[in-house]
Amino acid sequence: MNVRSWFSLSRMKCSSRWNWFAPLRDAEFDVLGPAGSVADAFDLIKTERPDAAVLDVRLGTERVPVAAELKTLGVPYVIASASHPSELASEPVLSDVANLGKPTDLDRLVRVMQAFCR
């Protein structure tokens, strides 16, 4: 499977961040990132457009610019967030996107990303 996925994991601890990468790499994804800021995320998107993405909805104090850009580009994405559903629903660019939650079921994450890339 020659697919690229891009990750914004700014609020994850390093140890859990690497736990996300291993199952995706095992499933033959090329992992771009992580991006710790909106600027870093935009740099990644400009360098190599992802086929799909999983986002932590907060990058610093900003919530939606990366999701909005991915939506504009037609890149499918899911959220991995501990945010309350009502908080996510208040943002149109996040309201209709699946939230895998935290802690994230890594097998489910791989299945979702594989479905995006078929």
Side-chain angles (χ1 to χ4, degrees), residues 35-101:
S37 70
V38 171
D40 290 346
F42 284 138
D43 286 345
L44 281 174
I45 292 169
K46 288 177 189 172
T47 302
E48 187 172 0
R49 181 178 167 174
D51 296 311
V54 57
L55 304 175
D56 185 339
V57 296
R58 284 198 177 87
L59 279 175
T61 59
E62 299 182 84
R63 289 179 46 88
V64 298
V66 177
E69 180 67 10
L70 292 170
K71 190 168 193 152
T72 298
L73 294 171
V75 175
Y77 58 95
V78 294
I79 300 166
S81 175
S83 297
H84 192 275
S86 64
E87 184 181 352
L88 297 173
S90 69
E91 301 286 354
V93 74
L94 302 176
S95 64
D96 62 347
V97 178
N99 180 6
L100 302 180

